[in-house]
């Protein structure tokens, strides 16, 4: 009888898992979610939620989501003997249900005043029973890899290991182009790491028409005789040719063959910014069309605010790269090889990314390596010794970790970026300042690098049973609010359309979609309720029985 | 055909006038030595400022060097930034240069130069995102305020203590994280308890107007560039409530 | 069609308002360009009135009557009434015809009753949208031609503001793309004009009506309006000026096909046209501020034969209806010009008009008679093709602007101008090569159909 295992990546913007056959080493099936089950769009929102509503509740919601994913893998769970979970320290801690306050407040002074003791976050192999609520056989092992520090976790270790960069003796840089943009610079045997909190723009969020990489998402643009050919992800998540449009007004020249576009991914965002800058439609910080927007088709557009958000994200990545180079005492042009990981790092056109400044200007080779977190989890279930490898690497990385929060270099460079993206400061002045500060120079891109796709898509092999996408991972929870008059104020106020109200015989039932809600930092619904009866926590502080199968 | 030698009564080229007025860095002082000091500030020349100030101090009073050289130079920088000719890094550099110069003048005088009143600035407890604050500091300095910079990750009580000690006309707070902005209402509460009704301008990516105006003393700061204007208002005796009515809503 | 190869005037000094080398006489004996300037009033129907032919007839009846009546009231000796079609008047060719018949009757009544000399111009709406239909073969195309037929039966003068090339010029304008403008205005616009105007001229002849002229309103005026005044920064005024220079070669095609003038009021390129052809032109400036602002309010009067208000919506003002008020203003403007002529002060008066705007902005500068003549000269000296003459005109215009230090430009406008000049220099010399280049460059612009232009 074959023994099965599950590899899982808990990402801030969604979860991904694969079922594996331990003997044949085959991938059986793949499941991804289009959102994270906790309300909010970034780790701080998730943490904030855990702090306010309770760590236990946050932990339970994540476990519920994991259970649902396991269900959707369509395997006989009785046979599962191993689950490896990879992700950043925050997600792994929420999964484990351990201390998170040290992750919530990076400021030391605050932590001291709270008396928080950071847990070790070392590698563990534990049994299912130690993770309450997990729907896997009692004897199944749960493998949790170690973290380096609060901002560099197992996901970054995965990136460094899976790219294979350590095995080559050359100056190289690996970057996970996600919300937290972890990066590692290898130079003469030393690894310098950092994390920039670029923000969700690189994953297509906080952009008016932005979305994660799902079928129908615009992931790239190619300029075609003064128009733009949209590249849209098809149902298999493979980029295909979509409509040809004129971005100045969104007119469609030909409809193309592929899927109808429904939104813009992070990589699409980058492509828009670059193509519009090159064609003169963007003259930083302005969009020079009649309505100050770019249009991809009739209903997909891109605003100047989007441009600013994208600029900050791009800028924080470049600022991070420059900071790491300064730490290592090298120039940006000394970097020979770049590894791009994460969903954005896989779908983005490296040449475009380089022109925007997100890939060092003089690299000879760019490797696009896909989701390394998931492949790391896969390796872990097949080979437990990889866990030791991760632990020893974690020790090594602690030597040269650069806390950008404490770096004067980062701060100065990021201000240059802000000025470049939001004030239109010319790049020549940017370079003048770098020189004045004695920082590494920022030369323009050199010859086009060789590009090596180690994967065809973010998750290369979807398994024989293929991909299942869960669009509604958050539970829909119903509650009756005492005193509610069904005035609909909350429904109208909610910026995420997370609330619905059904008028019943003598009361009104309020339903909230947990994964749509942007979290406890918002609470606009509560503030707008004329009877002060809306209580957001009611939708989350419920017993596990109530939430038993919220998706049914 | 005859051509009119002078068109000033026929039409005005506002476009050109605006442009001509623009790139010119205006002369600040007729006094050569002070002009040199001002020049260093305008150019953000941190190396040359020392010798320029020392040279000027030989024959001019520290007060004169400060007011007519350093601060006047910085005023010009603010103007250039307002008009979109200067960029943020230049403003920050100039502001640093000016402060270096003022330090020299204060050394010579043996006491602090009298500037405009104090403004206390800080980044919220638990938050290290201080770039917004760095910009606010530079702009307040540029406008001549005495900036008490508490830095980042400042505990609530420390902010309150600083207000007690310095009695500033205005307090600013920056928070980029939704978990840290909750320090602001706490600070406001404590200040009120102490009877310190200091206008408290809160800004940063995380905070919304709605949030800041939900507690007393709070005024929402949308753009760093508003800080000097707000401080002027506070200086002119506007209460937090009047300031909120003016700047928010 | 032969492209013009000579100038009607030996120099700009010979050009004067009120005088055209080839004056035109209307059926009622009004001579245009025969030694005096005539006001041309253009009232526009209020929104809503276009719903039925009845409401439209009523609206124009009032508007035209008010203008004619005001001329009598204040003693203006002559008037041209122009009605620009709203969409429905061309889409239902019978409507335009009925309104023309009614309007001409009105002018005759005023002639009979008071001896007021007047004429009526119908301007057909170009309802062929270049990005939607084949300009040469579509339902709207036949409506346009039918409309000309209907109106020519009654009107003294027929005109149009044709749209050929607009799909590419709109695209190019926001991209500051001079190559695209050359292609759109000269190559495409010129070809469409040739196709259209040879037919209009035939229709006019058939009905003994005057084939007035055309305008590059759709393109050069769009550029001019977008460049705006001294507060707008999106499109450099220098680009708008080049677009204007290019438009001369396009508008010229109407006269090369046999149109005789008077040219259309909103063709700001008309001074160039007059320099080349000697036909009378209509122009507008300060008294068309009701329609749009411009930076050449007086200089446009320097060589005009008709003086227009472009368009004013029919509404009430303290001084009467807009139609009456603007007819009065235009009439006084022209009375002053005609006084200058009769006193022999016309040169001095012209100098006043020119000096008002010569250095106000690039547009005013290039449209001064001397510069307009030089641009016209570049057009006729480079008449190998519509493209070559347009490029030469733009190049000349650019050189004139760069060459006169009194014309001041902002750094942005000057830099942009230098880059356009450089770009134009790099373009192929032969029209065929230029067309090849542009077909590959603009082939995919939305709605662009080479077939519309016989390409
Ligand atoms: C740069 C950056 C960093 C740098 C900060 C460097 C530094 N010294 O400041 C580094 C890389 C160190 C960093 C670290 C982290 N960051 Co960070 N970071 C950013 C980033 C990219 C830009 C923020 C910024 O500086 N903006 C520019 C400044 C100028 O804007 P601003 O402060 O808002 O100020 C403007 C106005 O608000 C106003 N203003 C501000 N203050 C005041 C005051 C007054 C008086 C007035 C009038 C106006 C005013 O004026 C300014 C404009 O004119 C954002 C993402 C983004 N795209 O915005 C994330 C972001 C703020 N970071 C985030 C996070 C989560 C973190 C980390 C916790 C990540 C981690 N996992 O470790 C860490 C730790 C931070 C901590 N605990 O304090 C999140 C916060 C999410 C949330 N909901 O709270 C963001 C939004 C990214 C994201 N979505 O994930 N980050
Ligand atoms: S309004 Fe309420 S339900 Fe809607 S996003 Fe905000 S907190 Fe969530
Ligand atoms: S705002 Fe309050 S009363 Fe109104 S529908 Fe929502 S919960 Fe009910």
């Amino acid at each position: 009888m074959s023994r099965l295992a599950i590899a899982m990546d808990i990402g801030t913007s969604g979860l991904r898992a694969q079922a594996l056959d331990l003997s044949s080493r085959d991938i059986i099936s793949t499941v991804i979610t289009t959102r994270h089950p906790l309300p909010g769009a970034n780790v701080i929102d998730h943490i904030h939620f855990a702090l306010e509503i309770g760590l236990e509740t946050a932990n339970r919601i994540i476990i519920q989501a994991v259970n649902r994913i396991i269900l959707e893998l369509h395997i006989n769970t009785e046979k599962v003997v191993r689950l490896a979970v990879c992700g950043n320290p925050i997600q792994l801690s929420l999964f484990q249900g351990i201390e998170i306050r040290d992750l919530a407040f990076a400021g030391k002074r605050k932590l001291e005043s709270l008396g928080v003791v950071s847990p070790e976050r070392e590698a563990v192999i534990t049994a299912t029973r130690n993770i309450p609520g997990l729907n896997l056989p009692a004897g199944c092992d749960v493998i949790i890899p170690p973290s380096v520090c609060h901002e560099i976790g197992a996901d970054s270790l995965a990136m460094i290991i899976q790219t294979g960069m350590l095995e080559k003796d050359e100056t190289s840089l690996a970057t996970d182009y996600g919300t937290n943009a972890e990066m590692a610079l290898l130079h003469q045997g030393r690894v310098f790491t950092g994390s920039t909190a670029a923000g969700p723009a690189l994953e297509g969020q906080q952009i008016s028409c932005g979305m994660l990489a799902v079928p129908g998402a615009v992931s790239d643009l190619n300029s075609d005789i003064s128009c733009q050919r949209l590249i849209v992800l098809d149902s298999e998540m493979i980029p295909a040719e979509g409509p040809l449009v004129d971005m100045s007004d969104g007119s469609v020249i030909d409809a193309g063959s592929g899927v109808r576009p429904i939104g813009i991914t992070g990589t699409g965002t980058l492509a828009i910014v670059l193509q519009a800058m090159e064609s003169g439609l963007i003259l930083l910080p302005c969009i020079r069309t009649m309505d100050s927007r770019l249009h991809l088709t009739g209903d997909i557009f891109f605003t100047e605010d989007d441009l600013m958000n994208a600029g900050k994200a791009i800028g924080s990545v470049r600022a991070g790269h420059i900071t790491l180079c300064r730490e290592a005492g090298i120039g940006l042009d000394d970097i020979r090889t770049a590894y791009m990981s994460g969903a954005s790092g896989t779908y983005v056109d490296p040449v475009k990314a380089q022109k925007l400044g997100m890939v060092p200007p003089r690299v000879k080779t760019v490797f696009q390596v896909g989701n390394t977190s998931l492949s790391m989890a896969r390796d872990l279930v097949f080979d437990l010794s990889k866990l030791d490898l991760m632990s020893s690497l974690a020790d090594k990385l602690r030597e040269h970790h650069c806390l950008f929060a404490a770096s004067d270099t980062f701060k100065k460079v990021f201000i240059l970026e802000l000025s470049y993206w939001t004030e239109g400061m010319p790049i020549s002045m940017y370079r003048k300042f770098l020189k004045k500060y004695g920082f590494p120079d920022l030369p323009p891109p050199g010859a086009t690098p060789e590009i090596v796709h180690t994967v065809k898509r973010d998750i290369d092999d979807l398994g024989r049973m293929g991909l299942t996408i869960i669009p509604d991972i958050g539970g829909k929870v119903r509650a009756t609010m005492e005193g509610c008059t069904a005035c609909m104020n909350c429904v109208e106020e909610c910026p995420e359309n997370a609330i619905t109200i059904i008028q019943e015989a003598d009361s009104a039932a309020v339903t909230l979609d947990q994964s749509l809600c942007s979290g406890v930092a918002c609470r606009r619904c509560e503030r707008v309720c004329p009877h002060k009866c809306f209580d957001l926590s009611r939708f989350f502080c419920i017993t596990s029985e109530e939430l038993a199968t919220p998706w049914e | 055909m005859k051509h009119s030698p002078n068109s000033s009564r026929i039409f005005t080229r506002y476009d050109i006038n605006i442009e001509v007025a623009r790139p010119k860095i205006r002369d600040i002082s007729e006094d050569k030595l002070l002009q040199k000091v001002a020049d260093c500030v305008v150019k953000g020349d941190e190396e040359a400022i020392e010798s320029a100030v020392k040279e000027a101090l030989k024959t001019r009073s520290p007060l004169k060097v400060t007011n007519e050289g350093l601060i006047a130079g910085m005023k010009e920088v603010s103007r250039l930034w307002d008009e979109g000719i200067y960029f943020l890094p230049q403003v920050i550099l100039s502001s640093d240069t000016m402060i270096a110069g003022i330090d020299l003048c204060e050394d010579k005088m043996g006491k602090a130069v009298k500037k405009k009143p104090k403004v206390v600035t800080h980044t919220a407890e638990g938050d290290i995102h201080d770039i917004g604050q760095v910009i606010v500091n530079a702009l307040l300095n540029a406008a001549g305020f005495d900036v008490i910079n508490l830095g980042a990750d400042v505990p609530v009580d420390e902010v309150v203590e600083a207000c007690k000690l310095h009695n500033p006309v205005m307090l600013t707070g920056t928070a980029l994280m939704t978990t840290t902005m909750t320090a602001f209402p706490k600070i406001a509460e404590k200040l009120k308890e102490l009877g310190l009704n200091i206008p408290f301008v809160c800004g940063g990516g995380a905070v919304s107007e709605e949030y800041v105006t939900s507690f007393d003393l709070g005024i929402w700061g949308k753009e760093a560039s508003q800080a000097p204007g707000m401080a002027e208002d506070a200086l002119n005796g506007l209460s937090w409530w009047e300031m909120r009515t003016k700047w928010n809503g | 069609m032969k492209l013009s190869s000579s100038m009607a005037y030996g120099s700009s000094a010979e050009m004067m308002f009120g005088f055209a080398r080839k004056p035109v006489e209307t059926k009622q004996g009004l001579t245009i360009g025969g030694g005096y300037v005539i006001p041309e009033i253009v009232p526009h129907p209020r929104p809503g009135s276009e719903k039925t032919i009845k409401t439209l007839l009523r609206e124009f009846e009032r508007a035209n009557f008010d203008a004619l009546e005001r001329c009598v009231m204040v003693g203006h000796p002559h008037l041209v009434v122009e009605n620009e079609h709203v969409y429905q008047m061309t889409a239902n060719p019978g409507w335009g015809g009925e309104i023309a018949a009614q309007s001409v009757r009105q002018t005759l009544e005023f002639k009979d009753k008071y001896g007021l000399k007047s004429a009526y111009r119908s301007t057909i709406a170009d309802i062929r949208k270049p990005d939607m239909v084949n300009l040469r073969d579509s339902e709207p195309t036949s409506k346009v031609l039918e409309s000309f037929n209907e109106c020519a039966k009654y009107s003294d003068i027929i005109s149009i503001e044709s749209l050929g090339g607009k799909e590419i010029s709109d695209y190019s304008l926001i991209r500051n793309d001079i190559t695209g403008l050359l292609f759109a205005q000269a190559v495409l616009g010129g070809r469409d004009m040739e196709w259209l105007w040879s037919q209009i001229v035939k229709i006019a002849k058939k009905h003994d009506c005057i084939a007035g002229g055309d305008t590059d309103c759709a393109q050069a005026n769009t550029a001019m309006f977008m460049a705006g005044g001294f507060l707008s920064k999106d499109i450099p005024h220098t680009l708008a000026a080049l677009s204007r220079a290019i438009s001369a070669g396009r508008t010229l095609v109407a006269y090369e096909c046999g149109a005789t003038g008077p040219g259309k009021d909103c063709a700001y390129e008309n001074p160039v046209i007059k320099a080349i052809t000697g036909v009378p032109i209509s122009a507008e400036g300060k008294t068309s501020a009701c329609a749009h602002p411009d930076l050449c309010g007086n200089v446009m009067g320097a060589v005009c034969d008709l003086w227009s208000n472009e368009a004013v919506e029919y509404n009430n003002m303290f001084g009467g209806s807009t139609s009456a008020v603007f007819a009065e203003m235009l009439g006084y403007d022209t009375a002053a010009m005609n006084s200058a002529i009769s006193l022999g002060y016309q040169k001095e008066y012209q100098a006043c008009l020119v000096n008002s705007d010569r250095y106000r902005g690039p547009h005013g500068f290039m449209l001064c008679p001397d510069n307009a003549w030089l641009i016209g000269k570049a057009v006729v000296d480079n008449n190998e093709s519509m493209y070559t003459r347009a490029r030469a005109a733009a190049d000349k215009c650019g050189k004139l602007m760069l060459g006169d230090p009194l014309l001041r430009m902002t750094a942005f406008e000057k830099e942009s101008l230098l880059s356009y000049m450089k770009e134009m220099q790099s373009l192929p010399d032969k029209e065929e090569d230029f067309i090849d280049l542009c077909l590959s460059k603009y082939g995919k612009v939305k709605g662009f159909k080479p077939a519309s232009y016989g390409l």
Side-chain angles (χ1 to χ4, degrees), chain A residues 484-490 501 529-531 533-534:
Chain A
C484 168
T485 56
C487 71
M488 306 300 270
N489 282 6
C490 53
I501 291 202
C529 177
H531 310 295
C533 59
F534 197 108

Side-chain angles (χ1 to χ4, degrees), chain B residues 162-176:
Chain B
C163 289
K164 263 197 326 208
L165 180 67
H166 296 285
N167 198 19
V169 286
M170 184 170 99
L171 167 67
T172 82
T174 298
L176 268 281

Side-chain angles (χ1 to χ4, degrees), chain B residues 31-246:
Chain B
D31 179 328
K32 271 215 174 109
L33 290 174
L34 295 180
Q35 175 62 34
K36 201 162 165 214
V37 170
D39 255 3
C40 291
V41 173
V42 173
K43 295 202 183 105
D45 194 336
E46 283 172 304
E47 274 119 57
I49 189 76
E50 191 179 332
S51 62
V53 169
K54 282 190 173 154
E55 184 63 34
L57 282 177
K58 281 184 194 156
T59 47
R60 313 277 185 279
S61 78
L63 206 66
K64 202 170 167 106
V65 177
T66 305
N67 288 336
E68 293 171 33
L70 296 162
I71 294 183
M74 200 60 211
K75 243 198 187 135
E76 178 63 5
V77 172
S78 299
R79 185 186 70 85
L80 292 169
W81 186 62
D82 279 343
E83 300 202 349
I85 299 159
Y86 261 36
F87 299 99
L88 268 178
Q90 293 167 291
V91 177
I92 295 173
L93 203 62
S94 294
S95 161
D96 291 349
T97 310
M98 173 188 74
I99 289 171
I102 290 181
D103 283 350
L104 290 172
C105 294
E106 290 185 339
D107 282 352
K108 170 106 183 196
M109 257 195 308
K111 59 169 186 172
V113 187
K114 186 132 180 54
K115 293 193 229 161
K116 283 188 191 163
K118 289 174 179 168
V119 176
V120 170
T121 71
H122 88 290
T123 296
E125 180 173 16
D127 205 326
I128 51 75
H129 290 95
D130 60 354
I131 290 173
Q133 193 199 347
V134 168
I135 299 170
V136 167
N137 288 344
L139 298 180
L140 286 173
N141 271 325
F145 286 92
D146 188 0
V147 178
I148 309 293
N149 171 8
L150 302 182
D153 181 24
V154 192
V156 169
D157 289 332
E158 217 176 294
V159 178
V160 177
E161 280 306 312
C163 289
K164 263 197 326 208
L165 180 67
H166 296 285
N167 198 19
V169 286
M170 184 170 99
L171 167 67
T172 82
T174 298
L176 268 281
M177 289 159 64
T178 43
T179 42
T180 59
M181 66 183 185
T182 46
F184 295 157
K186 290 181 202 151
I187 292 172
E189 189 60 33
K190 293 202 173 177
L191 288 177
K192 278 192 69 178
E193 272 168 26
L194 292 170
L196 294 170
N197 287 326
I198 306 169
F200 181 16
V201 184
C202 305
V207 299
S208 62
E209 172 166 8
E210 196 201 357
Y211 184 75
V212 179
T213 52
S214 72
F215 52 87
D216 284 359
L217 304 190
I219 300 143
W220 181 57
K222 183 171 190 281
E223 298 280 338
S225 56
Q226 297 171 334
M230 289 174 156
E232 283 304 334
D233 283 352
L235 169 63
N236 290 334
L238 262 65
S239 69
W240 66 267
W241 175 249
E242 288 165 320
M243 283 176 63
R244 182 189 288 178
T245 321
K246 173 171 171 190

Side-chain angles (χ1 to χ4, degrees), chain A residues 224-227 244 246 248 251-253 281 288 290, chain C residues 171 174-176 226 234 440-446:
Chain A
D224 178 355
I225 314 186
S226 58
C227 295
L244 183 68
D246 173 353
S248 62
S251 51
V252 176
I253 286 91
L281 288 178
R288 305 197 317 150
M290 302 280 186
Chain C
Y171 176 91
I174 56 169
R175 290 171 172 78
N176 275 323
M226 279 180 68
D234 290 337
S440 71
K441 192 162 178 205
Y442 306 106
K444 292 204 169 146
V445 171
K446 166 136 194 264

